[in-house]
Amino acid sequence: MSFVPGAPTQVGPVLFKAACPDCRARFELSAGALRLAIGGSRRTTFYSFTCPECGAAVRKPAGERIVELLTGGGVRTLRLHTTA
């Protein structure tokens, strides 16, 4: 996952480069096509999308930099809470 840089002043929608581990297709996704889940650990923080080529549900881990890029680009975020 990587951010597609634009002009300093963003005019159009933000697009993110992604790839499908199933069919190996590479494509760009809008913020609306992605979901980010932030959990209490690295294992429970991930982003997900549906591959536009093969329809596979894709889930990938999201480190701090990915979380920063996705939230900054307007991706909807779900905060996961643990029960104590």
Side-chain angles (χ1 to χ4, degrees), residues 6 15 32 37 47 50-51 56-58 63 66 78-79:
L15 296 176
Y47 65 96
T50 300
C51 175
V58 179
I66 296 295
L78 172 66
R79 296 211 179 261

Side-chain angles (χ1 to χ4, degrees), residues 4-77:
V4 179
T9 303
Q10 199 69 30
V11 176
V14 175
L15 296 176
F16 299 91
K17 289 184 181 181
C20 177
D22 289 351
C23 71
R24 306 273 187 221
R26 295 186 175 277
F27 39 83
E28 292 182 347
L29 296 171
S30 68
L34 294 155
R35 299 293 174 266
L36 174 63
I38 300 176
S41 70
R42 292 182 68 155
R43 276 187 36 194
T44 58
T45 300
F46 60 91
Y47 65 96
S48 61
F49 58 89
T50 300
C51 175
E53 298 293 322
C54 71
V58 179
R59 177 176 161 167
K60 295 186 175 187
E64 288 182 33
R65 181 70 178 139
I66 296 295
V67 169
E68 182 180 314
L69 289 172
L70 294 177
T71 55
V75 173
R76 285 198 297 185
T77 302

